């Protein structure tokens, strides 16, 4: 689905799918954070109610054991047969003829609970007083450490050591479209078809295969149009297991569409954690060593396929990534608690690491008497540092971090803002300026799975690209179509893109971690280049080339442009694109393709996994006016300059940058999922969980630098998360700068800012 089609309202989302023959499912969700389920009874007086419990599922499906490096495994049940593990955990499901009847039946189901002690904080989880999973006596879902003790000497001999503990709140992505599932089972073919709003159709099929105990080929997963995901839809959910299982049991088609309360209660959350970060500097402000300890609240479960280490591991492995240093000592732990599971969300892990690093640099600059921009200039990687490998093992191929900072400072008129700051203070209001520089890990290669691309030219000249990725509004069709068209020398209009159907598309990892242009685009470029060379060889035969038709020769002697394949030295001599296509399919009477030289047909499938991650880079400058009496602040200026390598589609890149920045404003200033001590979610509606509107998002100035990647064949780097991971840190720096106070916790609520202002004024 192209951008223009979506704008015209031609998209087809889960709720739009034809469902005249469907029955509807509603879930009974636990009102307790932790409780034993003693009995589940149908509504009083109701007849012939299809009521399903965890015991029903456990009798015929396999629990899933999520596995990943550093992860402690246990049995995951889509509906636990004995206990509810968080408020919103599904404990029963009912089936009815309409969604309204299903909801009424779910409300009337009678359940007897025995409340159990709940673990509702990191401190309680680490205290081990209550164990959530029998296999995990210490509540640790994930543990990782690297270079233990390596920084001790450097810290002991440093001229300046700065160490603080930073806290990041629990948040959720709030996509415009909530989740949904439509499941059918064909008893004749013994085959499932599952439509679901997902980013990872092939991963999801793999998980369903394991838990339902059927071969992957017996499951077809189809992703319709997706109305936003931002990482939230990149995991296997209980509802995606229960509906196909129920469809097989009941013999009919079933549908469920999540409401907003369910979305906030029981989808996935993210980001909640603490990071104790220390940095050792010499007397000139040069960073020598760092040590970091991250602890994450993973909620009740490790999500499939990524596991519970996602946030804390990504936090520490990328610590001070953009800055020169020699030693890094890191460790990360994820704890199970009685909250909704934590999963992926835009900026995973790096929202906390960038916040902590950029705040710590400002604090160190104050200690050393340096301008915040200057301490970054002294420590940012320089162009002659590349290629570069960090002490945590991240490999960077190319970059120009100093230049992105210079461009952002110039565009924002940083010197002018500082001059104004010295003279513009008025009663009750202060101007603050914040700076941040960081890199973004993209095209993540940590998890198993290749990316697959198939490019096909039909006999009539129609060109199709079948991709293992799954768009959720990023503009994949525009970018993929352009890449294929460029390689094949045709107009973009001739190319159709197909995604999100496991029967039609090659297997692959899916869409997450800013990997579309980097990994999927790389694989697509490979497939398109293979197909291009085949076209050139067919054309060479039609033009009566003699001798060996090597790849190098046809690339050197022929060109493709404007629908023709011509001699490079004589553009007037050539053959039409469509004639070459017909010859490749033996559909022309005056040319016989010698298949011993070139095989008939025009279809290429490629699979690839990049040898390393690819890192983009961003610099941000913000200016804010803070009302020290009310705690309210307004963003006066917000400038982002990013380097995502070669820009494949400027409109898409700008949209991702601005959209990510809007999310970053929400993450930094408004959004917090709050639980009480008993594990009750206090922010279960959009009246309480606040997201930014057009009123809170100022004009965002976006600039670009293009430092091509040497890893990807299209020279691109990812960039979809930079605004989300960087804006909270830069706004925190700006507010701290205005108040002369330390900010170590988000969000920047008016209450928190007013408290900081009072504390600063009393110093």
């Amino acid at each position: 689905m192209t951008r223009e089609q979506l704008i015209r309202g031609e998209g087809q989302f889960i709720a739009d799918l034809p469902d005249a023959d469907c029955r509807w499912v509603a879930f009974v969700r636990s009102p307790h954070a932790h409780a034993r389920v003693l009995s589940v009874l149908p509504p009083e007086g109701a007849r012939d109610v299809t009521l399903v419990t965890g015991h029903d599922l456990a009798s015929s499906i396999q629990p899933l054991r999520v596995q990943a490096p550093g992860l402690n495994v246990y049995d995951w049940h889509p509906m636990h047969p004995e206990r509810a593990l968080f408020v919103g955990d599904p404990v029963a499901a009912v089936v009815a003829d309409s969604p309204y009847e299903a909801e009424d039946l779910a409300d009337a189901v009678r359940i007897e609970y025995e409340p159990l002690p709940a673990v509702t904080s990191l401190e309680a989880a680490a205290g081990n007083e209550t164990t959530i999973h029998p296999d995990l006596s210490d509540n640790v879902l994930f543990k990782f450490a690297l270079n233990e003790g390596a920084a001790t000497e450097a810290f002991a001999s440093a001229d300046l050591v700065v160490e603080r503990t930073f806290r990041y709140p629990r948040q959720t992505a709030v996509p415009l479209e909530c989740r949904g599932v439509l499941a059918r089972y064909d008893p004749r073919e013994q085959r499932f078809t599952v439509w679901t709003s997902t980013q990872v159709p092939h991963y999801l099929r793999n998980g369903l295969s394991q838990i339902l105990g059927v071969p992957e080929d017996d499951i077809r997963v189809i992703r319709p149009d997706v109305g936003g995901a931002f990482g939230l839809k990149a995991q296997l959910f209980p509802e995606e297991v229960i509906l196909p299982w129920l469809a097989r049991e009941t013999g009919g088609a079933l549908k469920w569409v999540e409401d907003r309360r369910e979305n906030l209660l029981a989808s996935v959350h993210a980001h909640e954690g603490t990071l104790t970060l220390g940095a050792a500097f010499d007397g000139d402000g040069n960073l020598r060593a760092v040590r970091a300890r991250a602890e994450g609240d993973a909620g009740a479960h490790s999500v499939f396929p990524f596991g519970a280490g996602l946030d804390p591991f990504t936090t520490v492995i990328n610590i001070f990534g953009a800055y020169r240093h020699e030693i890094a000592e890191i460790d990360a732990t994820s704890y199970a608690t009685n909250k909704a599971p934590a999963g992926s969300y835009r900026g995973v892990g790096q929202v906390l690491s960038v916040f902590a690093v950029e705040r710590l640099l400002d604090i160190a600059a104050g200690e050393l008497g340096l301008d915040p921009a200057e301490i970054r200039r002294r420590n940012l990687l320089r162009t002659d540092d590349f290629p570069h490998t960090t002490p945590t093992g991240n490999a960077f191929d190319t970059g120009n971090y100093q230049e992105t900072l210079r461009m952002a400072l110039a565009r924002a008129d940083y010197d002018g803002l500082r001059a104004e700051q010295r003279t513009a203070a008025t009663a009750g209001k202060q101007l603050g300026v914040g700076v941040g520089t960081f890199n973004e890990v993209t095209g993540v290669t940590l998890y198993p799975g290749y990316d697959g691309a198939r490019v096909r030219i039909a006999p009539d000249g129609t060109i199709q690209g079948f991709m293992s990725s799954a768009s959720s509004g990023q503009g994949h069709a525009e970018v993929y179509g352009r890449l294929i068209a460029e390689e094949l020398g045709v107009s973009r209009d001739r190319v159709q893109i197909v995604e999100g159907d496991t029967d039609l598309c090659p297997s692959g990892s899916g869409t997450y971690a800013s990997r579309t242009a980097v990994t999927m685009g790389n694989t697509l470029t490979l497939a398109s280049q293979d197909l291009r060379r085949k076209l050139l060889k067919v054309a060479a035969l039609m033009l009566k080339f003699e001798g060996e038709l090597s790849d190098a020769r046809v690339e050197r002697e022929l060109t493709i442009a404007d629908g023709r394949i011509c001699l490079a030295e004589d553009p007037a001599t050539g053959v039409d694109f469509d004639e070459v296509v017909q010859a490749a399919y033996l559909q022309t009477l005056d040319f016989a393709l010698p298949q011993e030289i070139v095989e008939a047909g025009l279809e290429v499938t490629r699979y690839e996994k990049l040898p390393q991650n690819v890192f983009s880079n961003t610099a941000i400058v913000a200016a804010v006016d803070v009302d020290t009496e009310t705690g309210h602040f307004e963003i006066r200026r917000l400038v982002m300059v990013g380097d995502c390598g070669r820009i494949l589609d400027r409109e898409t890149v700008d949209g991702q940058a601005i959209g990510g920045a809007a999310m970053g404003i929400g993450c930094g200033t408004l959004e917090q999922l709050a639980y009480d001590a008993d594990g009750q979610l206090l922010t279960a509606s959009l009246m309480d969980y606040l997201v930014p509107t057009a009123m809170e998002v100022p004009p965002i100035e976006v600039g670009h630098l293009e430092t091509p990647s040497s890893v990807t064949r299209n020279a691109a780097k990812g960039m979809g998360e930079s605004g989300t991971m960087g804006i909270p840190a830069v706004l925190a720096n700006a507010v701290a700068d205005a108040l002369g106070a330390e900010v170590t916790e988000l969000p920047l609520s008016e209450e928190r800012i007013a408290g900081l202002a009072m504390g600063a004024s009393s110093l």
Side-chain angles (χ1 to χ4, degrees), residues 322-323 350 354 358 376 380 399-408 435-442 615-621 639-645 653 657 661 701-705 717-727 730:
Y323 299 97
Q350 289 189 263
V354 173
E358 296 305 309
R376 289 168 173 81
L380 277 173
N400 196 343
Y401 297 0
Q402 295 278 347
E403 180 63 9
T404 56
L405 175 61
R406 187 201 66 77
M407 290 172 63
V435 181
T437 53
F438 53 94
N439 55 11
E440 173 189 349
V441 58
T442 74
F615 289 79
S616 57
N617 164 241
T618 302
I620 304 176
V621 179
V639 173
M640 297 176 58
V641 175
D643 178 359
C644 63
V653 169
E701 302 173 55
V702 178
H704 299 288
L705 180 68
K717 307 172 183 178
M719 50 70 58
E721 301 169 78
S722 57
T724 306
M725 65 177 59
I727 295 292
V730 175

Side-chain angles (χ1 to χ4, degrees), residues 451-611:
D451 292 286
R454 180 182 302 119
V455 184
R456 175 178 180 267
I457 306 177
D460 65 358
T462 301
I463 303 171
Q464 290 180 304
F466 298 88
M467 324 301 299
S468 64
S469 53
S471 176
S472 52
Q474 299 97 324
H476 287 189
E478 283 76 19
V479 175
Y480 293 157
R482 180 173 296 180
L483 287 173
I484 294 173
E486 285 179 358
E487 292 294 340
L488 300 183
V490 298
S491 70
R492 165 66 186 85
D493 296 339
R494 295 187 67 158
V495 183
Q496 301 172 357
I497 299 299
V498 180
E499 290 184 285
D501 188 326
T502 59
D503 270 13
L504 300 178
C505 299
S507 183
S509 299
T511 301
Y512 55 88
S514 297
R515 65 198 316 274
T516 296
V518 177
T519 58
M520 194 70 257
N522 200 62
T523 309
L524 176 60
T525 298
L526 279 174
S528 300
Q529 289 174 345
D530 285 350
L531 192 57
R532 170 192 173 90
R533 284 188 285 269
K534 189 169 186 179
L535 278 168
L536 292 176
K537 288 180 181 180
V538 175
L541 290 168
M542 296 176 72
L543 293 168
K544 305 187 184 311
F545 273 44
E546 295 181 356
E548 182 185 359
L549 295 181
S550 67
D551 290 346
R553 181 189 177 192
V554 295
E555 288 279 15
R556 182 177 62 253
E557 297 186 21
L558 293 171
T559 62
I560 309 181
D562 300 325
R564 280 182 61 78
I565 302 177
C566 305
L567 295 178
E569 295 184 353
D570 181 14
T573 301
V575 60
D576 286 343
F577 184 93
D578 289 337
E579 292 179 22
V580 178
V581 171
Q582 291 168 13
Y585 283 100
L586 306 180
Q587 291 190 343
T588 178
L589 296 176
D590 57 357
F591 176 79
L593 181 69
Q595 294 193 61
E596 69 277 8
I597 299 176
V598 179
E599 184 180 347
L602 291 171
E603 182 172 322
V604 173
T605 301
R606 289 294 297 262
Y607 293 91
E608 189 180 55
K609 186 181 182 75
L610 288 178

Side-chain angles (χ1 to χ4, degrees), residues 122 141 170 272 296-303 308-309 334-337 339-343:
L122 280 171
L141 286 169
R170 176 168 283 245
E272 182 177 13
D297 186 331
H301 294 296
S302 278
V303 296
S334 271
Y335 291 97
T337 64
K339 299 177 185 175

